[in-house]
Amino acid sequence: AIGCFVAALLHHADYDIRLVLSKSARSAQWHEVLCRQGLVAKCSVDATFHQEISAGDICAKTSADPAVLKQCNCILVTTKRGANRSVQQQLNDLEVRCPVVFLQNGLNVRHDLTQPIRFEAIESVVNFNVTQDMASGIVTLAQSIEEAHLILDGAQPSATWLADHLNRSAIKTSASESFVAVQRGKLLLNMTNAVNALSGLAIGPMFSDPAYRRVLAASIQEAKSVFEADGIHPKADNSKDEFLLRWFTSLLLSPQWFFSITMGRKLKGRGEGRTSMAQDLEARRVPTEVGYLNGEIVRLGKAANIPTPVNQRILELVEAAETRNQGSPGLCSKELLQLTGLNLQDASRISSHVVKLAAAAVLLALAVTKIYSRNSRL
C-alpha cells in the first residue's frame, strides 16, 4: 500500500515511474484491478485529496520483470524486510548503481543485506500509514497529508538530493543527521502494530480500551529501557512528535477522558484504520514484521541483559497467529493483559504527581500551540 500511494504522488508530480510487482497471486490480482480501474490515492481526513494514475498509464508502467529498474535514477523498495536479500540479489544481477531507498519499518535495514553492497542503500523512516482496498484500486492515507513525513538517513551521500526531489510531491521529505535516534523513536511508536494486530480491532476502539493501552505502554517502556542502555536516545523529526514521544507512555496510562482530549486530534482519520501488521495478518501475508519490531527489542534486551518479558510474549503470540494463518486471533484486552503477565492495577503504581505533571505539560503545550496558531494568522 505504501508503494502504491507514493507512486501515485510521484506520478502526480510528473515523475516517470515504474512499478515492479512481486510474483505472487495477490500481486497478480492487484495488477488486474489496477489495469481495469486505475490507481487512486486518497486521504481519510481530506475528501478533496485525490491523486491518481489512469488504468492505461498504470498498466503500462507496471511489470513483473525487474529489468525495467535498469533505467531508473532511484529505486524505492516497499517489500517486507524478509525479502531484502532477494531484492538485493535482483539489483546486483541488474548491476544497479543508483540510490535504493528502503521504505520499511524497524532498525538497521542495511544489516539485512550481504556485503559488499554494490548500490547506495538508504534507510528511511515512514511516518505515515496507508490502507489498501484490493477491490477498488484505492489506497488511503490514514491521517492528514500535512502530517505525512518521510525521513531519509542523512549519512548517505544522495539523501539530501533525493529529499529535494521527493519534496516535489505531496509527501514532506527530509534528510536527518540524527537518523539513528529518529529511527528508534519511530520504533517506539511502532509498538502499536502488534497490539493492534492481536486485538483484531480498528485503532480507535483499541485505544479506547485502557487494558490494551496498558499492554502497549509496558512494551514501550521495555523498549525505552533497552535504548537507554546503549546511550542512543530516541527522538522525533519534529517538535509535536517529540512531545508525543516523551509523554506517550504516561498518556497511555492516563484516564480515558484525558487520553481522548490529548490524543483525539492525533488519531483523527486513523480510528477506523488498522496498522500494517494487522492488515498483513488479515490478508494472510505472513510472516509479518513483528520480528523486526518487538523481536528487535527482545534481541537488544538479551544483548544488554535487560528483561523484555512483555515484548517476548507479544512476539510469541503474533508468531503463533502467523503459524495458524487464520487472521488476527482477536484477543480481548483482558486476555491479552493476562497473557502478557500484566494487570491494570500495575498502572496505578505510577505516582499521582507524575500523572499530574504529564497532564499539566500536555495542557500547557496545547495552550501554547493555540496561541502560536492564533498569532500566525494575525
Side-chain angles (χ1 to χ4, degrees), residues 67 94 98 104 160 191 195 198 374:
L94 295 170
C98 69
Q104 298 171 331
T160 300
M191 295 291 100
V195 176
L198 292 170
R374 188 182 304 118

Side-chain angles (χ1 to χ4, degrees), residues 113-129:
L113 309 178
T114 58
Q115 297 294 336
I117 303 174
R118 297 170 184 166
F119 48 82
E120 184 183 353
I122 303 177
E123 297 184 41
S124 71
V125 167
V126 182
N127 267 349
F128 54 93
N129 191 36

Side-chain angles (χ1 to χ4, degrees), residues 307-328:
T308 56
V310 174
N311 281 286
Q312 177 67 53
R313 191 67 178 116
I314 289 174
L315 174 65
E316 293 168 354
L317 290 169
V318 175
E319 288 179 338
E322 292 173 351
T323 300
R324 291 191 299 271
N325 203 18
Q326 297 296 316
S328 169

Side-chain angles (χ1 to χ4, degrees), residues 319-354:
E319 288 179 338
E322 292 173 351
T323 300
R324 291 191 299 271
N325 203 18
Q326 297 296 316
S328 169
L331 298 177
C332 72
S333 58
K334 292 182 179 179
E335 186 177 6
L336 186 57
L337 267 178
Q338 183 180 26
L339 288 170
T340 52
L342 299 169
N343 58 69
L344 279 176
Q345 284 66 41
D346 290 340
S348 65
R349 296 177 184 175
I350 300 176
S351 58
S352 60
H353 76 273
V354 172

Side-chain angles (χ1 to χ4, degrees), residues 35 57 182 184 298 313 332 357:
C35 288
D57 281 344
V182 173
R184 291 183 176 218
V298 171
R313 191 67 178 116
C332 72
L357 178 61

Side-chain angles (χ1 to χ4, degrees), residues 179-211:
F179 181 78
V180 173
V182 173
Q183 195 177 48
R184 291 183 176 218
K186 177 60 169 20
L187 181 56
L188 290 182
L189 299 181
N190 275 148
M191 295 291 100
T192 304
N193 288 23
V195 176
N196 183 236
L198 292 170
S199 75
L201 300 176
I203 291 175
M206 183 201 76
F207 273 123
S208 296
D209 190 321

